[in-house]
Amino acid sequence: MQAEDMEVPMINNLNDNGDRQRPKGKDVFKEQQKESESSMESPNLEFEYGDTDTLTAELSELYSYTEEPEFALNRDYFEEDFRSHARGRRWIELMAEEQRAYVMRLLDALEVTDRDKRLKVARAILYLAQGVFDECDTEVDVLHWSRHNVFLLYDMGIFTALLELLSMEIDNSQACSSAVRKPAISLADSTELRVLLSIMYLMVETIRVQTEDDRPEWRSAREAFKNELGSPLYNGEPFALLLFTMVTKFCSMNAPHFPMKKVLLLLWKTILFTLGGFEELQEMKVRGRERLSLPPLPEDSIKVVRAMRAASPPASAMELIEQQQQQKRGRRSRRVPLVKQDSLDTYNERDPFKNDDARDEEEDPEDTDSGIEGEVDPLDRDVIIQPPPPPLKPPTERVNFPKGLPWAPKVREKDIEHFLETSRNKFIGFTLGNDTETLVGLPRPIHESVKTLKQHKYVSIAEVQIKREEELQQCPLTLGEEEVEETPTEMLYLGMLPNLSQYVIALLKLLLAAAPTSKAKTDSINILADVLPEEMPITVLQSMKLGIDVNRHKEIIVKAISALLLLLLKHFKLNHIYQFEIVSQHLVFANCIPLILKFFNQNIMSYITKCCTLLEPFKFLLLITI
C-alpha cells in the first residue's frame, strides 16, 4: 500500500452537514497548503491560555518515539527483581507497608558500586513512577498508580538519592571525554542520565499538579517538596541551578551526550513548581499591591486573556494592502445622507469627546474635498444632528469602556505631566514642572482631558520600586540598607546572577539550533543526541518515523525554552523591576530579538499545523507496525 493511498484522520474536518470527512493523504496536504497560502481564508487558531497542557500530554512529551523499546525493558527489570520479593503477587495487590518495604529495598540497592546494577534498579524505579502499566487495564488506572507510586517514592527519599546519582553523572569526566571523542552520539550514550531525569521529571510534574481527590498527606508533601526545590538545600543552591549548569556545560561542547530535552523540561517544570504559574503570579501581584497600599488591579489579566477570541496568524504585506483597499472601497460605497444613529450616539452622548474621534475615523481623507449632494457642512453637523447633551454622569459610571476593548486604560503619572507640559507650552507659554493640579489658563477641553486621564491613572509596583531605589541612592546613610525578603524568586536570582549571561546565551543557542529555518553548520550544537538511535534507519518507514521524531523533538525544546524565559521574566519583573531589566538586557545583547524574528520569518499557519499533518499518519503507521 502506497503512502498516498493511505487514509489519514484529520482534526476538525467537517462538511456542511456537520459530518466528519476523511480525505485521502494527497488531498490533505493540498488542502492545508491552500489554507496556509492565504491566512485571510484560514480559520482562527484555537489556543487555550495556560501554564501547561494536560497531564497526559506533558508526560508524553518527555519521551521520544525511539525510546519506546525501553518501556518493556523497565518492566522486565522490575518484574525480575519484584518476583523474588512478592512471591507471585502483583504490585497493586500489596499492602501499603509491603510497598514501602520494597521501595526501601530499591533505595538500598541504589548505593551499590556496580554501575549496571544501579541502572537496573533505576529502571525498576522508573517503571513504578510510570504507573506499573502492565498491571493496569485503562489509562485512568495507570495515572492513578503513577500518582500513588510517585508520592510513595518521595516519602521514602528517592528524590534525594537520585539527585546524588545525577551529580555523579554530571561530574563523570570519563563519560564526557568519551562522548567528545565520538564522531556520532546516539541514544545509548545518555542512558543513565535519561533514566534519572525521567524519574525526577515524573516526580516533579506529578506532585506539582493538584487534584481534588488528593489526600491530606499528599498536600503537605507537595508543600514540603516545593520548599525543598526552591531552597538552597542541594549543595548550597536551588535545584534549578544544577540544571542550568547542565545546560551551559552542554552548550560549551564539554558534555555533548546530555539529553537536553529532558533537562529543559525538568528545568521548566521545576521553576514553574517553585515560583508558581500565571495564576499564582496574579495572586502575588494582588498581595504586593496591598502591601504597598496601592489601589487594586482594574481587571484580572488571566481571565481577560482567556475570554478573548482565538487569534489568527498575521497577514502578509499584500493581504494588508488588499484589506485597506477593500475598506476604502466599502466606505465610499456606504456614503449616504447623514441620519441619526441609535446605539453609537447613545455611547457618544455618554462621552462627548468621543464624537470628534469617531467622525474622524469614519471620514475618508481622500474624499474630503469632493462634496456630495445632500451632505451637510461639517461645521453645522453638530448643530443639526446632535440633541442637547445631557448632564455628565458621575466619573465612576464613565469609566466603563466600550465593548471590544479587552483591557482597562492605564495612564501613568508621567503621561499626565507630559500632557500638561505640552498644553501649557502651547496655550500659556511656560510650564509648572511636575504640578498636575493647577489648570489655570488652560481651555476647558484640556480640563476634561486631564480629568479623564486621572480617572484611569495607574501606579504599578515597578514605579514604586524605582522610586524607592532612587531614595536609597540619594540618602544611603539616613535610610540604611533595604530589607529584601528571601522569596524563592530572590534566591533563584541570587544564584543565577554570577553566571546569568552564560545561562541566557546557552538557552538562546539551543533555541537557535531548534529553529525551523536554521541551517546546519559544522560547529552548531547537536540537540538530537537523545533522539537518534544506535542503528540508523534502513527502510523508508523507519526514516519517516525518525524524521517525525526529530521535528517533534525540536518543537518540544522550543516550547520548553520559550515557556521558561517567559516565566522567568514575569517573576523577575514582579520581584524587582531592575532584575527584569538586567535579564532583558542580556537577552537583547545575545540577539534574542533577531532569533524570535527568525521563527516568524516563515508561513506561520503551515508551521503551526505541521505537527498535526505529520503526527496523524505516524500514529496510523505505528498501529500497523505494532
Side-chain angles (χ1 to χ4, degrees), residues 273-323:
F273 186 25
T274 55
L275 303 186
F278 293 156
E279 295 182 355
E280 288 82 356
L281 268 168
Q282 186 72 16
E283 296 176 358
M284 293 165 60
K285 189 181 298 184
V286 171
R287 293 196 300 267
R289 295 185 66 85
E290 292 178 354
R291 188 165 55 250
L292 296 175
S293 301
L294 295 176
L297 292 171
E299 76 275 316
D300 189 347
S301 58
I302 304 299
K303 295 181 179 179
V304 172
V305 172
R306 288 176 177 172
M308 295 172 63
R309 69 176 183 85
S312 299
S316 61
M318 292 300 298
E319 293 172 351
L320 292 176
I321 294 174
E322 292 178 0
Q323 288 180 355

Side-chain angles (χ1 to χ4, degrees), residues 526-551:
N526 181 20
I527 60 174
L528 305 178
D530 54 333
V531 71
L532 296 177
E534 294 184 74
E535 299 179 358
M536 296 306 294
I538 57 177
T539 63
V540 178
L541 181 60
Q542 292 176 351
S543 300
M544 180 181 176
K545 289 181 180 180
L546 183 60
I548 295 172
D549 205 4
V550 168
N551 291 334

Side-chain angles (χ1 to χ4, degrees), residues 14 262 352 402 437 493 518:
L14 303 178
K262 297 183 186 298
E437 301 297 331
Y493 179 79
S518 62

Side-chain angles (χ1 to χ4, degrees), residues 168-179 181 249 254:
M168 291 173 54
E169 292 295 334
I170 295 174
D171 299 333
N172 190 353
S173 58
Q174 182 179 0
C176 295
S177 60
S178 62
R181 291 192 300 266
K249 195 172 182 179
N254 294 326

Side-chain angles (χ1 to χ4, degrees), residues 344 348 351-363:
L344 183 60
N348 288 339
D351 191 353
F353 302 103
K354 184 68 177 177
N355 294 333
D356 298 334
D357 299 335
R359 276 199 305 272
D360 294 340
E361 291 178 358
E362 292 179 359
E363 288 181 356

